[in-house]
């Protein structure tokens, strides 16, 4: 839900005064100036550094720069920007601040006669040499440490007030009267530690700031901004795009030599135009600059469209990288980078930029076994609490006036919005109770004391089944946030009422979480509920309602359980989590109480007995039973991010994740109902670069003894008998009867899927214009002594028009013991 924020009035004279003071304070940098082109237009993102070094800064959007040096004296300052002549200014500095404004002229690209007359495309030779020299060039900086500075900026123009009926509020308070302005501004300063083989990347954030935010944690991770064009693929927005100097580049690109020029030290630089052979492949377009003889990257000026990265709402992404020569290790080193982007949906259009600078390289670090650990991101203590004075001294790239005003305004807003007076005023508006609140739901909040009481809408949960008839869920919940590091309690009661049954079933619950690091969580619950026989819940309430009322196909099979349960879970150590629960329950069968339909066919409803849908006997006898569950999850070589208030696991795609569980049912009314079950799960997602993505999920289980246990304690596969695709395709079958293959013996199922993205269809003329993704899959099920059940599928994903590509269609064939079936499944993907 989007909050409606009350506008705040500020004294703009005070804000302007603060802005001017900040600007004046920052002017005490060592060398300052403005960079423009020959028409006096400001040039942003110009690399500024001292000659024969790789330390420097970049200009901001207004063309202003600040270069910090330690002492007075004679210096040679270099100004480098793709598309313009690199210039070197020699200056004698007697005092600070020192003003040095420069004008950059357009680069004069020369295409010599030899290149024009050559039979072979000269660009191809350059690219081949660059490909052959990749290992040599990257070995020159195989280990290093460096300082990293990044700034993120999102701007919106004429933002809508609502999206899908939900108010957007004032988006942080930085919009003008036309709802245009900055909605996100952040900065990060960090230390990077890098190793090529084995590849390791570690970042320690020294300072992090987000305009108007209380926690100051930004999106600006150095590793996520590490777009390495020396690799065969470049990971961009969930897709792997083929680099122009990939080993397979000539299968995806045509290259044209635009010309050459000499850099500040007389090295010949080749400007090569990069043209995709197929626009919808995972590729770039634009220019790559290659140094003659070294065959290293001098600069990147490339563009990828939303189609090329596989996210239609993106208009385009522009990548620019500048490199500088380091005499220390005879290498061309990345010193700056910008990513400009545009995206939009529902009339909400954003222009943004992430800019980054790299400085103070050390190419001879002394690494030990403890240098690289599973922790790939950490924060220095107090990194998110640095004040304005600190930032003005540390910031290598000056703020623009617009950015300074945004910080000043939103810092003032932040102070007000944390106050009790403001939070109470917001709550007064949010807490208004109206005539529809008992139907649509209601929440009463005390934002200052961080608690809320909610009443759940019965209307949103309205559903139908043949046991309860029309039924609804409602309840009351109390939530209290105990600190800002993930500690909270949540307690309440829910009620389910079935109109046909005329029965209310209450469930009480209490949950406490202590932090977001190890995530320890304790829960206790009890009451009366009606679970599905398959506790993985393969049939949604909505699907069952529609199919029951329209087609008289009541697939939902449930029983009643009166229970008490306690649960606890926690990550014990990195990559290893454990959970446990103990439950005691009375379970009894339920029967149909209604045959109401709206457009139903002239057939009878099934019974509520999954073992005999045409009969109306009980599927089991009423009984009491206790159940103990102990589970563990292992993620091998798990990497993680340590934020000040939480830990975020990023896994490791090289290895599968493993889950194991032991369930012991005991203390039953009949000893025959007691059982011991072991289950295991193996799953993995593998990115295959431009060939798409492959994933699999394997689940297995075995009972220590084959006994006549209650049917809900069997192992069940997730079937599907409706025309809509299951919500989780990697744990469900497409055409399988819901309970046909349930077993009290041994069990195994496997799900495999490969999404080719644009790899295959993108190469077929005309079809590649549709930008559909080909998806293939296979599934297998093995239960007890039965013959195996198999499914094979082929489908199309990313179906739609323009930015609206949410549809997926699969054609599925099944085979069980010679009996074959087939059908189409329709789904929505985001």
């Amino acid at each position: 839900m989007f909050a409606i924020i009350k506008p705040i009035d500020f004294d703009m004279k005070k804000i302007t005064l603060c802005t001017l003071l900040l600007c004046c304070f920052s002017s005490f940098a060592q060398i300052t100036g403005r960079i423009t082109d020959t028409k006096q237009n400001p040039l942003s993102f110009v690399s500024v550094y001292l000659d024969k070094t790789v330390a420097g800064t970049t200009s901001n959007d207004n063309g202003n720069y600040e270069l910090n040096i330690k002492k007075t004296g004679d210096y040679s300052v270099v100004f480098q920007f793709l598309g313009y002549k690199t210039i070197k200014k020699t200056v004698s500095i007697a005092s600070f601040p020192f003003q040095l404004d420069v004008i950059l002229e357009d680069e004069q690209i020369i295409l010599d006669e030899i290149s024009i007359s050559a039979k072979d495309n000269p660009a191809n030779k350059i690219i081949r040499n660059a490909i052959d020299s990749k290992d040599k060039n990257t070995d020159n900086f195989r280990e290093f440490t460096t300082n990293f500075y990044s700034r993120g900026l999102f701007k919106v123009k004429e933002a809508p007030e609502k999206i899908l009926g939900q108010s957007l509020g004032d988006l942080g308070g930085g919009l003008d009267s036309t709802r245009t302005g900055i909605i996100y501004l952040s900065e990060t300063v960090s230390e990077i530690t890098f190793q090529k083989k084995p590849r390791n990347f570690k970042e320690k954030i020294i300072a992090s700031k987000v305009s108007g935010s209380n926690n100051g944690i930004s999106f600006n991770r150095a590793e996520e901004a590490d777009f390495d064009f020396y690799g065969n693929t470049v990971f961009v927005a969930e897709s792997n795009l083929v680099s122009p100097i990939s080993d397979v580049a000539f299968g995806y690109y045509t290259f044209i030599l635009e010309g050459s020029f000499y850099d500040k030290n007389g090295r010949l630089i080749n400007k090569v135009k990069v043209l995709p052979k197929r626009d919808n492949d995972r590729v770039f377009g634009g220019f790559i600059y290659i140094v003659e003889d070294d065959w290293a990257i001098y600069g990147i000026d490339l563009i990828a469209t939303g189609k090329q990265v596989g996210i239609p709402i993106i208009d385009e992404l522009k990548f620019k990288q500048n490199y500088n020569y380091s005499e220390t290790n005879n290498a061309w080193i990345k010193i700056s980078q910008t990513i400009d982007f545009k995206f939009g949906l529902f009339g909400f259009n954003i222009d943004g930029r992430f800019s980054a600078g790299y400085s103070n390289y050390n190419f001879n670090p002394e690494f030990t076994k403890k240098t690289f650990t599973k922790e790939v991101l950490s924060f220095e203590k107090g990194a998110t609490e640095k004040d304005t004075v600190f930032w003005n001294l540390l910031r290598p790239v000056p703020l623009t006036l617009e950015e300074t005003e945004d910080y000043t305004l939103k810092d003032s807003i932040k102070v007000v919005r944390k106050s009790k007076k403001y939070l109470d005023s917001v709550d007064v508006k949010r807490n208004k109770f109206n005539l529809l609140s008992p139907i649509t739901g209601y929440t009463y909040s005390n934002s200052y004391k961080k608690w809320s009481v909610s009443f759940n809408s019965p209307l949103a949960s309205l559903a139908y089944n043949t046991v309860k008839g029309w039924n609804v869920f409602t309840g009351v919940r109390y939530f209290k946030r105990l600190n800002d590091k993930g500690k909270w309690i949540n307690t309440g009661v829910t009620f389910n009422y079935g109109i046909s049954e005329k029965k209310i079933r209450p469930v009480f619950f209490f949950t406490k979480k202590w932090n977001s690091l190890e995530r320890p969580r304790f829960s206790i619950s009890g009451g009366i509920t009606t679970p599905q026989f398959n506790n993985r819940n393969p049939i949604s309430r909505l699907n069952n309602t529609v199919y029951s009322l329209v087609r008289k196909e009541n697939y939902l099979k449930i029983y009643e359980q009166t229970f008490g349960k306690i649960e606890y879970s926690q990550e014990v150590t990195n990559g290893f989590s454990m959970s446990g629960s103990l439950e005691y329950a009375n379970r009894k069968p339920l029967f149909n109480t209604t045959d109401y339909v709206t457009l139903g066919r002239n057939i009878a409803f099934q019974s509520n007995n999954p073992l005999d849908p045409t009969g109306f006997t009980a599927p089991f006898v009423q009984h009491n039973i206790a159940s103990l569950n102990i589970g563990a999850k292992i993620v091998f070589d798990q990497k993680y991010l340590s934020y000040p208030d939480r830990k975020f696991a990023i896994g490791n795609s090289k290895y599968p994740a493993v889950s194991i569980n032991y369930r012991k049912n005991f203390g039953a009314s009949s000893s025959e109902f007691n059982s011991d079950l072991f289950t295991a799960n193996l799953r993995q997602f593998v990115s295959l670069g431009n060939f798409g993505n492959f994933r699999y999920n394997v689940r297995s289980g075995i009972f220590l003894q084959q006994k006549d246990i209650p049917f809900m304690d069997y192992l069940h596969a997730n079937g599907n008998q409706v025309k809509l695709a299951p919500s989780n395709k990697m744990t469900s079958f497409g055409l399988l009867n819901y309970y046909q293959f349930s077993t009290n013996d041994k069990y195994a199922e496997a799900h495999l899927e490969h999404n080719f993205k644009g790899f295959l269809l993108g190469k077929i003329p005309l079809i590649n214009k549709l930008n559909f993704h080909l998806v293939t899959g296979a599934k297998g099920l093995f239960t007890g002594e039965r013959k195996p059940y198999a499914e094979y599928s082929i489908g199309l994903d990313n179906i739609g028009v323009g930015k609206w590509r949410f549809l997926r269609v699969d054609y599925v064939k099944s085979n069980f013991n010679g009996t074959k079936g087939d059908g189409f499944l329709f789904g929505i993907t985001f």
Side-chain angles (χ1 to χ4, degrees), residues 512-525:
K512 182 174 182 178
K513 181 185 172 188
W514 278 265
N515 62 60
S516 294
L517 299 175
E518 298 85 12
R519 299 180 298 281
R521 182 180 299 200
F522 171 79
S523 298
I524 183 168
S525 58

Side-chain angles (χ1 to χ4, degrees), residues 342-561:
K342 293 182 179 180
F343 67 89
L345 195 65
F346 301 117
F348 190 77
N349 299 303
I350 287 179
D351 288 357
R353 165 179 284 186
F354 281 104
S355 56
Y358 302 81
S359 61
N360 299 326
Y361 277 96
N362 174 14
F363 297 106
N364 297 295
E366 295 181 0
F367 293 160
T368 67
K369 292 182 179 180
K370 295 182 179 180
T371 299
F372 296 102
T373 64
K374 302 298 186 294
E375 184 183 55
V376 297
L377 175 73
S378 62
F379 279 69
E380 186 178 88
K381 186 176 181 179
T384 61
E385 301 169 1
K386 307 296 186 184
D387 60 18
T388 302
V389 174
F390 175 91
W391 276 102
N392 285 334
L393 292 172
L394 183 69
R395 182 182 290 119
V397 181
L399 297 173
T400 65
L401 180 61
E402 182 184 29
E403 291 167 342
T404 303
E405 289 178 342
D406 188 75
Y407 272 134
T408 306
L409 173 63
K410 289 181 180 175
D411 283 350
S412 300
I413 293 175
K414 178 175 66 175
V415 172
V416 172
R417 289 184 173 176
K418 288 172 63 178
S419 69
K420 184 178 186 302
K421 181 178 179 181
Y422 175 78
L423 292 173
D424 287 348
S425 69
V426 173
D427 287 340
V428 167
K429 190 168 186 177
R430 289 176 176 170
N431 292 341
K432 285 184 178 178
F433 189 88
N434 57 53
L435 293 176
L436 293 177
S437 294
I439 300 174
T440 60
Y442 174 74
T443 297
Y444 182 91
S445 300
N446 188 319
S447 300
Y448 186 75
K449 294 186 177 181
K450 302 176 184 178
W451 62 265
S452 64
V453 176
S454 300
F455 168 74
N456 299 329
S457 165
L459 188 63
S461 64
L462 182 64
Y464 174 85
N465 63 63
T466 53
V467 174
K468 305 176 187 177
W470 287 103
N471 65 95
V472 295
F473 281 89
T474 188
V476 178
R477 179 182 72 98
Y478 171 80
F479 180 85
K480 169 71 172 177
R481 185 154 54 97
L482 301 175
N483 63 24
D484 295 327
K485 296 187 176 182
K487 186 177 183 180
W488 49 258
I489 58 172
N490 182 34
T491 187
V493 58
T494 62
F495 301 93
N496 176 224
Y497 178 70
I499 295 176
S500 178
E501 282 186 306
K502 298 182 175 61
K503 183 172 184 178
I504 297 178
R505 295 182 174 91
V507 173
F508 303 88
F509 61 89
F510 172 85
T511 302
K512 182 174 182 178
K513 181 185 172 188
W514 278 265
N515 62 60
S516 294
L517 299 175
E518 298 85 12
R519 299 180 298 281
R521 182 180 299 200
F522 171 79
S523 298
I524 183 168
S525 58
I528 307 173
T529 186
T530 55
Q532 296 186 38
F533 281 89
N534 181 353
N535 62 6
R536 297 163 71 195
N537 299 322
I539 310 139
S540 73
R541 287 165 53 84
L542 176 61
N543 285 348
N544 184 73
T545 298
V546 173
Y547 271 75
S548 295
L549 294 176
V550 176
R551 296 183 56 84
K552 257 191 169 180
E553 295 174 0
N554 54 318
Y555 295 118
L556 186 75
K557 309 301 178 188
I558 57 179
Y559 64 96
E560 184 175 275
Q561 175 173 277

Side-chain angles (χ1 to χ4, degrees), residues 201-238:
F201 193 106
K202 184 176 73 172
E203 179 181 10
K204 182 179 181 180
I205 292 181
I206 307 302
S208 180
K209 180 180 177 69
V210 179
S211 182
S213 172
N214 290 323
N215 64 25
I217 299 174
S218 71
F219 298 147
N220 312 5
R221 275 187 61 211
E223 189 169 17
E224 290 189 344
D226 185 30
F227 298 103
D228 181 12
F229 287 86
Y230 280 109
N232 285 324
T233 59
V234 182
F235 186 72
V236 180
E238 305 300 325

Side-chain angles (χ1 to χ4, degrees), residues 307-363:
K307 288 183 179 180
Q308 290 164 342
V309 300
I311 302 180
I313 67 169
I314 294 177
D315 293 328
E316 62 180 15
L317 293 163
K318 295 181 179 180
F319 298 83
K320 281 194 175 184
Q321 292 181 348
N322 285 311
Y323 290 71
N324 189 13
Y325 182 72
S326 169
E327 294 184 349
T328 304
N329 56 329
N330 190 32
W332 290 86
I333 305 302
K334 181 167 60 177
I335 57 173
S336 60
Q337 171 182 277
T338 57
I339 303 101
D340 293 288
F341 53 88
K342 293 182 179 180
F343 67 89
L345 195 65
F346 301 117
F348 190 77
N349 299 303
I350 287 179
D351 288 357
R353 165 179 284 186
F354 281 104
S355 56
Y358 302 81
S359 61
N360 299 326
Y361 277 96
N362 174 14
F363 297 106

Side-chain angles (χ1 to χ4, degrees), residues 772-827:
F772 293 165
H773 297 168
L774 181 68
V775 184
T776 60
K779 299 174 183 289
L781 177 62
F782 311 87
T783 58
E785 302 300 325
R786 298 186 182 97
K787 296 285 186 179
Y789 171 87
E791 288 184 357
Y792 307 94
S793 64
I794 184 168
L796 294 175
D797 200 358
N798 204 44
I799 299 173
V801 178
K803 297 179 179 180
W804 305 93
R805 294 183 170 273
F806 305 137
L807 295 179
R808 172 170 166 172
V809 178
D810 291 276
Y811 174 70
V812 184
K813 288 187 69 69
S814 65
N815 185 6
F816 172 62
N817 198 25
T819 302
K820 298 181 179 180
D822 66 342
F824 286 93
L825 296 177
F826 302 88

Side-chain angles (χ1 to χ4, degrees), residues 570-578 631-635 638 660:
Q570 179 179 339
E571 184 180 51
V572 179
T573 187
N574 180 54
F576 180 71
S577 301
M578 291 199 69
K633 179 182 177 182
I634 305 170
V635 180
Q638 175 178 277
I660 55 177

